[in-house]
Amino acid sequence: MSENFEPKILGILCNWCSYAGADLAGTSRLKYPANIRIVRVMCSGRVEPTLILKAFQEGADGVLVSGCHPGDCHYVDGNIKTLRRTPLISRLLTQIGIEPERFKQVWVSASEGEKFGKIVEQMVEDIKKIGPYQKKTGDALDTVAHEVYQSTKEVAATGEEGGSHCG
Amino acid sequence: MSGQKIGVYVCHCGSNINGVVNCSKVAEEAAQLDGVVVSKDYKYMCSDPGQEMIKADIKEKGLDRVVVAACSPRMHEPTFRKALEGGGLNGYLLEMANIREHVSWVTKDKEEATKKALALVKGAVNRVKYHQPIEEKEVPVNDATLVIGAGIAGIQAALQVAEAGHKVYLIEKKQYIGGNMAKFDKTFPTLDCAACILTPKMVDVGQNPNIELYTSSEVIKVDGYVGNFTVTVKEKPRYINHEKCTGCGDCATACIMKNRIPHEFDEGLSKRGAAYIPFPQAVPLKAVIDDQNCLLLTRKKCTLACVKACGRKAINFNQHETIHEFNVGSIILATGFDLFDAKRAPQYGYGRYPNVINGLQFERMTNASGPTSGHILLEDGTEPKSVAIIHCVGSRDENYNKYCSRVCCMSSVKFAHMVKDHTDAEVYEFYIDMRTFGKGYEEFYNRVQEEGVHFIRGKGAEVAQKNGRLVVKAEDTLLGQYREIPVDLVILNTALEPRVDAEKVAQTLGISRSADGFFLESHIKLDPVTTTTDGIYLAGCCQSPKDIPDSVAQGSAAASQSLAIIATGKVKISPISASVDENQCAGCRICVGLCPYRAIKLNEETLRAEINQAVCKGCGTCAAACPSGAIKVSHFDNDQLLAQIEGVLA
Amino acid sequence: MIYQYYPGCSLHASARDYDESVQGVVKSLAMELKEVPDWNCCGATITPSLNQLQSQILPARNLALAAENRGDVVVPCNACYMSLKKIQYNMAKYKVVREKVTEIFGQAGLRLTGMPKVRHLLEVILEDVGLEKIKQMVKKPLKDLKVVNYSGCQLVRPLGFDNPEDPQALDNLMSALGAEVLPFSQKTHCCGGSLITTQPDLAFQMVDSILEESRAVGADMVVVTCPMCQLNLDAYQDQVNRKFNRTLQVPITYFTQLMGLALGLNKNQLGLQRGIISPFKALEKIG
């Protein structure tokens, strides 16, 4: 591992709480590592596995997803869906050989600028310890990402009806 | 995507961005990106010349997409959308790269910052290629307004909207209106009697035909969006028929629980019964039955003395909770503050020594209609010879609240004046810093200094009892000495805190709170009245501690926000929404259960999901869960997000 | 439960009564205390003002020794408790302290292999045994005994375990044992500590205000959790009386001594006879 390894982290933040929290870190002039690149969605409930897999495909060393605290969601309970989706995504990532430390899901409110900065700092530190994400032999990322993407197309093409395969 | 003409504009924001990010380098490198035909950096993109630059380039160079790398889109996205529209482009063909809040303000290293800024610009350029024009939806505005909380801020807002000729639903949790101000005696700095200036407003509220007042009521649900909220209100039974009750107080005199329950309005300094009149100037002036203490309601056993005493037969124990539903265009939140419980700071002996009281108790004591008929008295009924006033109890203290409660310095000075005015006592004020910032405030402070009040610069550290007398201990930082001052009465000027149910209210209304627990404004300086949810406005102490003039000003400001959207008659609402591609939908119904607004239904004939555009708010949760990728979210679709991810990580 | 016991110097010298009662009580509670091998002075309140480095190394060495074994470190003395907690805090927070300590340890062939949890004996008794169980074990309730509980300052601040303005632990324990707990505003006021030798005038004032309030509220005795507080309040009471023209005779007892009595231990095993102001007259109330 290179001594100067600077991880690339993708942050996917909800518009109402976490993006505003990251903005507050800015207005408060709090300094945190420049390793994170933030993409805005309206709700953390919008974050589907495809976006996370895409990040790793594009060379991210970590992905951070952040939404409003439970109970505070701008869309009633979108963040609860995030909460339920998180363990599934973690499991998927583990199965395809991506260390669990590389994916983190947190809650940051619009007033938690300081907390946001600390989370980024910690995540950069943690990922520096495990090193850059390298697609290893037998790493199934590309295959899985491709499958996830293709399956949507296939389902569309077959035009199956009424939830027959959804068990 | 070929043939697109993208313009990139990198803002210096004075030195805010350019001081850390090398803006011209970012612009130069952005010029090399695929599809970019113009790339410029400029001192202030949001200024007139900045916006004109964009408009001119759209017209002259035929731009069809624009990226502005500047501050947060939460700040200036609307500004630049308008600029695009001014140039003849749809506003949604804009993408902003947030290189101020997310880059220059949070990064130390200039090179790192420039690199990060460029990455965000690449992401934005990638994303904007997939943007589609979107028409903003305009919806008609309901011209009624909901005001929650009938303290001075809520009253001011309600009256102003009502006087402009529009309907107001005023909701108050207590049985009477007036809030905390109704308990005050005099107000600083003019020493106006609080009742004299508040009572006429309270009466106006009761009489204004445009105001529908609901006391003993709470908002339990808010649906909808700006212009068209549906609000559900729960009104608790009061067991008194308001049509019949004249507020004579015969039931209060008859109640067998009389003089046994601490009276909240007098802050526990007097006792009342289970049936009582809250206070002489109460609006509405009707009897109240306290269901926590009424023997009939708690133990089902009572002589019913109140029922017998009531000549108008106004008492009805068969009343039940009522649920009301209102449609309103905007909501003004004015729920006020709770006073810091001084028992949480045991070093001051509140609750242990009877002659240690808080500020509101002192207000009641000096109030002519209060428990001591306006006399400042000790527990034993005598007048104090020496009084201490301690500032910042629970404020400016790491252990309780870090913030300054803003009103206590002035109210403490007022208390000192009142003591001097009513008694011959010596007065000692223990302060950390004296903050008398308002109009006429410093002058009032000077006046009270001249009245012979002792101002001791040092936080009161402890109140103890020594030789039968109270002793206030403090370090006098001007003398550089530790002092113990014996007194008879101690007034703790306690912090103003967020209401204990502020979290619940924030969740019901879908708004945020700041770190101190008060409701969060959209911008602390430029937009202190609106919340981040369109159509919900803040007034008074629920936003932050403030005095009466400021509460009234904010009440008026909130009212004018409401009136402004009523005057326009229509509001723009976010056009971001989800839609189903019928050809891709497999009809699995996963999305149906996920939508918090029940906007998705399965069409029984086609067996495809359908999204009601009027109800959808565009969160995108359904799109994330759709196994066949049939749901598209406008402006936040996969193509756009994936392209942006590719860009920022490149 | 097995714990590591760090008695501190006092309990082997001036506060033998505390140590004796601690041993009796922990046996009744089925707690096993194993003394930290080769422990040294914690540095107390004096070293920090004389030699910063020493005041860090002394407690750190004890932690390094304790880290070799399993179990939380139980400390009966408030001053030791705070010294040990403080060095833990400073090492966790300040890299320079951490590095300096490691460097000096290296020279002495010591290694800090872990960070054992440091807990005051009162904390352990309340949290691990619990009030409910203690109530059931009481054989001789301290009925009619009026006490004021003097937690002292270092038990609760800056890193202590109870409410720093109005600690509750000792009150709850004494009530559970059947004593009548009187309100006491001096609970966490400083006893003067080592100032009693360097600035006696100041320290005497501090001792006096504690003793005087205990008299004013009508206490039979002052209950303490720290050998330093006990020494100042007990051994200097006579001098304080003379200075302020008082005739106080307030016994200062350790909470473990009263606890031992309530649990039915023989009063001769609890070191009660070692107090300078004898508690026996006051204890006649409980027979």
Side-chain angles (χ1 to χ4, degrees):
Chain A
M1 191 197 316
S2 143
E3 272 295 301
N4 308 324
F5 164 54
E6 285 298 340
K8 259 190 217 170
I9 297 172
L10 178 76
I12 311 180
L13 273 51
C14 83
N15 177 61
W16 303 96
C17 296
S18 302
Y19 196 90
D23 277 0
L24 180 65
T27 11
S28 319
R29 312 297 200 275
L30 302 167
K31 305 288 182 248
Y32 58 81
N35 306 59
I36 191 162
R37 311 275 185 267
I38 294 168
V39 166
R40 178 169 67 137
V41 289
M42 293 311 276
C43 178
S44 63
R46 170 71 184 87
V47 183
E48 56 186 281
T50 320
L51 303 183
I52 293 158
L53 294 175
K54 173 75 174 176
F56 286 114
Q57 269 186 312
E58 294 301 324
D61 298 298
V63 176
L64 175 73
V65 172
S66 181
C68 308
H69 285 271
D72 291 349
C73 180
H74 190 78
Y75 302 101
V76 187
D77 57 4
N79 53 357
I80 302 301
K81 280 128 198 174
T82 312
L83 183 66
R84 278 158 52 185
R85 200 176 285 137
T86 295
L88 300 178
I89 293 178
S90 295
R91 206 191 301 167
L92 172 71
L93 293 178
T94 317
Q95 281 170 359
I96 58 179
I98 296 176
E99 296 88 336
E101 293 89 340
R102 297 192 188 278
F103 171 62
K104 206 166 175 180
Q105 185 256 302
V106 296
W107 311 126
V108 172
S109 81
S111 60
E112 291 175 330
E114 198 180 340
K115 179 177 169 188
F116 179 76
K118 291 233 166 83
I119 287 171
V120 174
E121 218 164 89
Q122 187 62 48
M123 195 164 174
V124 170
E125 201 174 298
D126 290 348
I127 293 181
K128 274 186 179 172
K129 274 182 206 147
I130 54 170
Y133 168 61
Q134 286 157 326
K135 292 177 199 164
K136 305 174 193 90
T137 330
D139 184 329
L141 174 64
D142 278 331
T143 331
V144 173
H146 184 71
E147 267 174 27
V148 169
Y149 195 69
Q150 273 307 307
S151 69
T152 67
K153 303 289 167 217
E154 277 161 27
V155 173
T158 55
E160 269 183 72
E161 273 189 17
S164 51
H165 67 297
C166 294
Chain B
M1 293 301 141
S2 63
Q4 283 184 338
K5 291 181 169 177
I6 303 170
V8 176
Y9 299 89
V10 184
C11 179
H12 293 189
C13 195
S15 62
N16 278 310
I17 297 172
N18 204 39
V20 183
V21 172
N22 185 340
C23 290
S24 55
K25 190 175 168 202
V26 172
E28 270 165 38
E29 294 203 17
Q32 310 303 316
L33 298 173
D34 184 41
V36 174
V37 294
V38 178
S39 183
K40 297 176 174 171
D41 58 307
Y42 184 66
K43 209 158 198 138
Y44 289 106
M45 280 312 299
C46 61
S47 68
D48 252 5
Q51 296 191 41
E52 285 307 320
M53 192 196 298
I54 299 177
K55 288 181 202 165
D57 286 353
I58 293 172
K59 285 180 190 148
E60 288 160 21
K61 306 212 163 92
L63 300 183
D64 55 9
R65 298 280 192 287
V66 172
V67 168
V68 178
C71 51
S72 171
R74 291 171 54 86
M75 179 102 191
H76 269 318
E77 201 169 49
T79 312
F80 291 116
R81 277 191 182 147
K82 275 198 201 111
L84 262 67
E85 279 157 17
L89 269 188
N90 181 282
Y92 284 81
L93 297 171
L94 163 82
E95 175 65 12
M96 285 188 77
N98 185 348
I99 61 167
R100 192 178 73 174
E101 281 84 346
H102 292 184
V103 182
S104 69
W105 278 350
V106 293
T107 313
K108 271 191 216 143
D109 187 280
K110 290 186 181 179
E111 213 167 295
E112 289 288 319
T114 307
K115 217 168 90 188
K116 183 174 177 184
L118 188 64
L120 295 188
V121 170
K122 277 185 192 161
V125 169
N126 265 12
R127 188 189 206 276
V128 83
K129 291 178 186 167
Y130 292 90
H131 280 202
Q132 297 294 329
I134 307 176
E135 290 314 317
E136 286 196 323
K137 287 188 263 187
E138 264 189 353
V139 292
V141 168
N142 186 311
D143 83 335
T145 301
L146 180 86
V147 179
I148 309 174
I152 182 61
I155 288 176
Q156 178 74 16
L159 283 175
Q160 209 159 317
V161 175
E163 280 161 11
H166 301 285
K167 180 97 196 161
V168 174
Y169 299 99
L170 179 57
I171 312 299
E172 170 57 51
K173 192 159 76 175
K174 293 219 167 67
Q175 301 92 338
Y176 51 87
I177 64 171
N180 282 304
M181 186 180 168
K183 298 177 180 177
F184 295 174
D185 178 37
K186 298 283 188 288
T187 56
F188 58 77
T190 49
L191 299 173
D192 281 313
C193 136
C196 311
I197 54 178
L198 179 63
T199 314
K201 282 187 184 283
M202 297 194 335
V203 174
D204 282 354
V205 166
Q207 291 176 347
N208 193 310
N210 280 332
I211 298 181
E212 235 174 85
L213 173 63
Y214 290 85
T215 51
S216 308
S217 299
E218 279 180 66
V219 173
I220 52 171
K221 203 168 139 216
V222 175
D223 286 324
Y225 46 86
V226 56
N228 298 277
F229 290 106
T230 306
V231 182
T232 314
V233 170
K234 182 174 83 181
E235 186 180 8
K236 287 204 290 189
R238 32 178 83 252
Y239 308 108
I240 299 283
N241 183 335
H242 270 208
E243 315 275 286
K244 291 182 181 169
C245 177
T246 60
C248 67
D250 285 350
C251 54
T253 323
C255 179
I256 56 172
M257 289 293 285
K258 193 171 71 176
N259 293 334
R260 286 162 75 173
I261 306 154
H263 194 352
E264 302 83 356
F265 192 78
D266 280 337
E267 295 293 315
L269 292 180
S270 70
K271 298 271 175 72
R272 58 168 173 82
Y276 64 104
I277 306 283
F279 61 104
Q281 301 89 352
V283 171
L285 187 58
K286 307 284 175 191
V288 170
I289 289 183
D290 166 7
D291 57 2
Q292 300 299 307
N293 287 296
C294 169
L295 292 180
L296 186 76
L297 293 170
T298 52
R299 295 188 209 164
K300 308 216 179 308
K301 233 174 125 180
C302 182
T303 61
L304 294 178
C306 56
V307 177
K308 288 171 200 153
C310 180
R312 304 267 301 165
K313 306 222 173 314
I315 299 176
N316 172 10
F317 282 107
N318 295 321
Q319 278 189 357
H320 295 289
E321 198 175 274
T322 348
I323 300 291
H324 305 276
E325 212 178 83
F326 309 119
N327 294 313
V328 297
S330 59
I331 298 174
I332 296 172
L333 194 55
T335 49
F337 66 90
D338 277 338
L339 205 60
F340 173 82
D341 178 7
K343 282 193 190 131
R344 278 166 56 202
Q347 61 270 37
Y348 296 118
Y350 184 80
R352 199 161 67 232
Y353 307 127
N355 289 324
V356 178
I357 61 173
N358 67 30
L360 266 185
Q361 288 176 320
F362 182 77
E363 294 279 4
R364 293 312 298 152
M365 214 184 245
T366 47
N367 194 304
S369 62
T372 55
S373 311
H375 298 291
I376 299 171
L377 298 177
L378 300 174
E379 176 75 354
D380 62 7
T382 61
E383 260 189 14
K385 296 193 176 53
S386 176
V387 177
I389 300 166
I390 301 182
H391 292 220
C392 300
V393 175
S395 312
R396 302 185 71 197
D397 187 329
E398 294 273 336
N399 296 310
Y400 310 105
N401 298 303
K402 287 184 187 174
Y403 56 82
C404 162
S405 290
R406 215 155 175 266
V407 300
C408 339
C409 277
M410 277 307 288
S411 63
S412 295
V413 172
K414 178 188 76 181
F415 294 164
H417 168 81
M418 298 303 290
V419 175
K420 281 284 178 195
D421 191 52
H422 284 48
T423 70
D424 297 324
E426 290 296 322
V427 182
Y428 300 90
E429 286 222 17
F430 297 85
Y431 67 96
I432 308 177
D433 297 292
M434 196 51 95
R435 296 179 171 177
T436 56
F437 53 89
K439 189 170 182 177
Y441 290 8
E442 185 73 8
E443 295 88 327
F444 183 68
Y445 171 40
N446 290 339
R447 169 182 161 186
V448 174
Q449 278 179 309
E450 278 163 22
E451 287 173 4
V453 171
H454 308 281
F455 286 89
I456 296 173
R457 187 174 179 276
K459 183 168 182 172
E462 188 186 353
V463 177
Q465 203 157 23
K466 248 188 186 173
N467 307 324
R469 225 172 158 199
L470 293 174
V471 174
V472 180
K473 303 178 182 179
E475 183 188 353
D476 186 329
T477 57
L478 295 181
L479 289 182
Q481 246 178 27
Y482 167 73
R483 294 179 74 176
E484 289 190 2
I485 295 179
V487 294
D488 304 312
L489 180 70
V490 177
I491 305 165
L492 302 177
N493 217 338
T494 44
L496 273 52
E497 290 192 321
R499 286 276 188 205
V500 59
D501 58 357
E503 184 181 358
K504 208 179 92 197
V505 172
Q507 290 179 357
T508 308
L509 274 85
I511 58 170
S512 302
R513 295 192 302 151
S514 41
D516 52 22
F518 291 102
F519 298 131
L520 186 68
E521 62 291 317
S522 149
H523 191 283
I524 194 162
K525 289 180 286 283
L526 299 179
D527 211 355
V529 178
T530 66
T531 63
T532 45
T533 302
D534 287 345
I536 300 183
Y537 310 113
L538 300 172
C541 289
C542 67
Q543 184 243 342
S544 73
K546 49 178 72 68
D547 55 16
I548 295 168
D550 286 358
S551 295
V552 170
Q554 204 179 12
S556 285
S560 69
Q561 295 271 12
S562 268
L563 290 171
I565 63 164
I566 294 172
T568 323
K570 50 196 179 188
V571 281
K572 282 187 177 170
I573 57 167
S574 164
I576 296 167
S577 66
S579 58
V580 179
D581 179 343
E582 253 192 65
N583 294 324
Q584 280 192 41
C585 173
C588 73
R589 297 185 186 88
I590 285 178
C591 54
V592 175
L594 285 176
C595 179
Y597 305 103
R598 299 199 197 93
I600 314 180
K601 284 203 172 61
L602 190 82
N603 183 321
E604 296 292 338
E605 272 176 28
T606 61
L607 291 177
R608 302 283 185 264
E610 282 176 1
I611 298 180
N612 180 345
Q613 293 295 312
V615 184
C616 173
K617 296 201 176 179
C619 66
T621 303
C622 54
C626 178
S628 54
I631 301 182
K632 314 278 176 215
V633 193
S634 57
H635 213 58
F636 284 90
D637 208 20
N638 267 9
D639 292 344
Q640 296 160 344
L641 294 174
L642 293 172
Q644 188 181 7
I645 291 172
E646 211 176 300
V648 296
L649 293 171
Chain C
M1 286 278 271
I2 299 181
Y3 301 90
Q4 302 199 62
Y5 184 47
Y6 177 81
C9 317
S10 300
L11 275 85
H12 280 194
S14 60
R16 272 164 62 198
D17 37 358
Y18 196 6
D19 193 43
E20 285 162 9
S21 59
V22 169
Q23 299 302 345
V25 165
V26 297
K27 206 171 285 167
S28 306
L29 297 176
M31 288 165 54
E32 197 180 323
L33 298 190
K34 280 193 171 163
E35 205 159 306
V36 176
D38 194 34
W39 58 266
N40 55 265
C41 170
C42 71
T45 46
I46 310 161
T47 32
S49 50
L50 300 172
N51 186 329
Q52 271 295 327
L53 184 60
Q54 231 171 50
S55 78
Q56 289 163 348
I57 297 298
L58 285 172
R61 178 174 180 275
N62 291 315
L63 291 175
L65 294 172
E68 303 283 315
N69 300 304
R70 280 181 45 205
D72 294 349
V73 179
V74 178
V75 189
C77 164
N78 292 7
C80 302
Y81 171 67
M82 193 49 56
S83 305
L84 295 177
K85 286 199 93 156
K86 211 156 66 186
I87 186 64
Q88 269 189 342
Y89 177 85
N90 287 337
M91 281 173 63
K93 189 157 184 197
Y94 304 107
K95 204 170 148 208
V96 37
V97 178
R98 208 157 51 231
E99 283 171 357
K100 193 76 201 164
V101 169
T102 322
E103 184 200 322
I104 294 187
F105 274 13
Q107 294 167 12
L110 263 174
R111 251 167 52 94
L112 191 61
T113 51
M115 266 298 177
K117 208 168 166 195
V118 175
R119 301 167 75 194
H120 193 277
L121 178 66
L122 177 63
E123 182 184 0
V124 173
I125 288 178
L126 279 181
E127 284 173 7
D128 296 6
V129 182
L131 284 175
E132 280 317 304
K133 197 168 164 210
I134 293 169
K135 269 185 206 162
Q136 287 166 15
M137 292 172 71
V138 170
K139 295 206 176 90
K140 196 165 123 190
L142 307 176
K143 222 166 140 294
D144 300 328
L145 191 68
K146 292 179 179 166
V147 299
V148 289
N149 294 317
Y150 176 63
S151 303
C153 36
Q154 303 194 76
L155 181 71
V156 289
R157 49 167 93 95
L159 300 165
F161 73 97
D162 206 345
N163 182 328
E165 300 295 351
D166 188 15
Q168 296 299 313
L170 202 49
D171 283 4
N172 292 340
L173 178 63
M174 286 299 133
S175 302
L177 300 177
E180 185 185 340
V181 175
L182 302 173
F184 192 46
S185 76
Q186 305 280 325
K187 273 181 183 179
T188 62
H189 283 207
C190 178
C191 69
S194 48
L195 292 181
I196 206 108
T197 51
T198 53
Q199 291 202 45
D201 281 351
L202 188 59
F204 283 3
Q205 261 182 42
M206 296 161 105
V207 170
D208 180 60
S209 66
I210 295 163
L211 294 174
E212 170 52 25
E213 186 172 318
S214 74
R215 183 205 57 81
V217 298
D220 295 321
M221 54 182 62
V222 177
V223 183
V224 295
T225 61
C226 170
M228 171 107 76
C229 303
Q230 204 279 342
L231 185 76
N232 280 8
L233 298 180
D234 188 24
Y236 291 89
Q237 205 169 119
D238 196 30
Q239 289 186 51
V240 170
N241 271 339
R242 260 179 277 144
K243 186 172 160 74
F244 294 97
N245 231 348
R246 302 194 199 275
T247 54
L248 299 178
Q249 286 288 310
V250 187
I252 315 295
T253 48
Y254 293 105
F255 76 101
T256 41
Q257 293 179 311
L258 290 182
M259 204 174 165
L261 286 177
L263 297 180
L265 301 180
N266 187 324
K267 57 182 155 195
N268 298 326
Q269 296 169 355
L270 296 167
L272 284 159
Q273 73 286 0
R274 296 189 196 275
I276 290 173
I277 314 278
S278 168
F280 289 116
K281 188 156 180 295
L283 288 172
E284 277 170 13
K285 276 191 169 179
I286 56 168

